[in-house]
Amino acid sequence: MAGTAVLGRLTWQVGEVTGTRTETPRTRSLIVDLPHWPGHRAGQHVDIRLTAEDGYQAVRSYSIASPPEDSQVEVTVERLDDGEVSPYLVDEAQPGDQLEFRGPVGGYFVWDVSRGGPLFLVAGGSGIVPLMSMIRHRQARHSDIPLTLLYSVRAPQDVIYRAELDRLAPDGVTIAYTFTREQPEDWTGFARRIDRDLLREAAPPLNTRPLVYVCGPTPFVETAAGLLVELGYDAGRIYTERFGATGRER
Amino acid sequence: MNDHSLDGNAMAGLLGEIFPFEMTSVRALCAGCGAMEALGRESVYADAPGMVMRCLHCEAILIRAVEGGGRIWIDMRGVACLQVHGE
């Protein structure tokens, strides 16, 4: 994407929750109707503002999980127990509720089919969310761009979008999980944090020059991106988005 | 690297209310060390009542911003220059 597109300024707009979906014990997706949404690109996010009865406001940024092709916007939120916004969004928000949104935000960590591939997506925990928008965009466009997803989570029950990922047509899609703390019975796959050997095994071959998107907690992203560069992957084709150890809420 | 740091995306929505550009792609010249970096890659600390963006390379404060009550306060003295691409 050339240059810094002139967009006009962002403003807050009201969106109505039209549906919710519990993804894991700690995460929930909110489907939102935003009549004035200008559209987004896969990988972007949106700010959500809550206002308390006394006027206190809190703003946090959440990745968009839905593809640009959807008419409604979906965000997936992980509950942080000491968070100001996420417990409400995960446990309280109901269809019919109105929330304030500002976005879309971000122009660096984005992908669309015109960028090509092959695509190597590396997710740590809820870092899967913006990558899911890319996966859904690829599906919506019936793209055959080869896709490899490496998804690191602590335990099987922490996998977000599990059913949908399992349904992806195997043609051109490779998914590898690594369960860092607790593994399913009879698990023969990866069972440790990302390291050099794991990446070497899971990543597409060097000579395919994959486009790499890494999203997760800051240490995860720095480790993965650093190792990929050491393994010889083109640093100019590695895109990263990191959020603090405190998680998605920011 | 402090584990509480976010990336520049966290401040991009707020900056987008002031500037009519996609702000994560805008590059800033750090007044402290002279490094030029895309705002989306800088470090952001959002633990405080406002947000602080620090230089990815020298950790000097680039931007401090607070929003509330329909107003935004923004202190950009740590940014010597912004580079905005045209179309």
Side-chain angles (χ1 to χ4, degrees):
Chain A
M1 178 61 52
T4 312
V6 178
L7 300 172
R9 294 186 184 91
L10 295 175
T11 56
W12 289 100
Q13 55 179 297
V14 174
E16 182 172 315
V17 178
T18 60
T20 67
R21 187 172 58 250
T22 297
E23 304 282 1
T24 73
R26 299 182 59 81
T27 58
R28 189 166 72 148
S29 294
L30 301 179
I31 298 110
V32 182
D33 187 35
L34 281 160
H36 303 293
W37 187 246
H40 67 274
R41 301 164 68 197
Q44 287 189 301
H45 40 100
V46 62
D47 291 347
I48 299 180
R49 179 164 74 184
L50 298 184
T51 304
E53 283 180 17
D54 65 1
Y56 176 78
Q57 292 185 322
V59 179
R60 296 293 183 277
S61 179
Y62 295 100
S63 287
I64 299 170
S66 50
E69 289 77 13
D70 280 12
S71 58
Q72 295 190 311
V73 173
E74 179 182 321
V75 294
T76 304
V77 180
E78 178 177 20
R79 182 199 310 107
L80 302 175
D81 294 330
D82 58 351
E84 288 185 331
V85 174
S86 63
Y88 174 80
L89 297 178
V90 174
D91 300 327
E92 309 285 338
Q94 293 299 327
D97 286 358
Q98 294 195 326
L99 305 169
E100 288 182 289
F101 294 81
R102 179 174 63 193
V105 177
Y108 169 75
F109 193 82
V110 296
W111 180 76
D112 57 61
V113 291
S114 68
R115 284 199 174 191
L119 207 49
F120 182 36
L121 308 179
V122 185
S126 58
I128 186 68
V129 179
L131 305 180
M132 196 63 194
S133 177
M134 299 176 187
I135 294 170
R136 287 168 166 168
H137 167 62
R138 177 185 174 279
Q139 296 299 106
R141 296 290 295 273
H142 306 289
S143 163
D144 59 2
I145 290 171
L147 164 68
T148 303
L149 170 65
L150 173 60
Y151 188 1
S152 172
V153 288
R154 292 177 180 175
Q157 64 267 26
D158 297 328
V159 175
I160 308 173
Y161 316 122
R162 182 65 189 257
E164 186 174 345
L165 290 172
D166 286 346
R167 280 198 308 272
L168 288 178
D171 301 342
V173 178
T174 306
I175 300 179
Y177 296 96
T178 181
F179 298 106
T180 59
R181 287 196 190 166
E182 184 185 318
Q183 297 80 34
E185 285 185 34
D186 304 327
W187 177 249
T188 58
F190 300 122
R192 62 186 194 273
R193 291 185 171 200
I194 279 183
D195 57 31
R196 181 190 300 259
D197 288 341
L198 194 156
L199 279 173
R200 185 184 284 131
E201 199 172 329
L206 258 183
N207 61 11
T208 63
R209 299 193 70 244
L211 257 182
V212 185
Y213 290 82
V214 187
C215 186
T218 299
F220 174 90
V221 170
E222 291 181 350
T223 299
L227 288 172
L228 286 168
V229 172
E230 286 179 26
L231 287 169
Y233 290 90
D234 182 354
R237 289 172 68 80
I238 300 175
Y239 296 85
T240 61
E241 180 164 289
R242 55 198 168 83
F243 48 89
T246 52
R248 186 76 257 169
E249 182 167 312
R250 54 191 185 179
Chain B
M1 180 61 65
N2 184 307
D3 277 356
H4 292 286
S5 77
L6 310 170
D7 64 25
N9 288 297
M11 200 189 264
L14 188 157
L15 294 174
E17 285 210 36
I18 302 164
F19 298 97
F21 310 108
E22 195 296 291
M23 291 301 286
T24 62
S25 308
V26 169
R27 287 154 62 88
L29 181 67
C30 173
C33 72
M36 193 76 162
E37 189 59 79
L39 292 180
R41 286 176 46 81
E42 307 283 13
S43 300
V44 168
Y45 295 80
D47 304 326
M51 282 189 183
V52 176
M53 178 180 282
R54 287 181 178 271
C55 174
L56 181 66
H57 305 277
C58 78
E59 300 198 338
I61 293 177
L62 296 170
I63 302 175
R64 298 184 298 161
V66 176
E67 61 181 328
R71 290 172 292 180
I72 295 172
W73 293 262
I74 184 161
D75 171 353
M76 297 185 64
R77 78 184 81 176
V79 177
C81 178
L82 279 182
Q83 175 188 301
V84 180
H85 284 269
E87 286 298 294

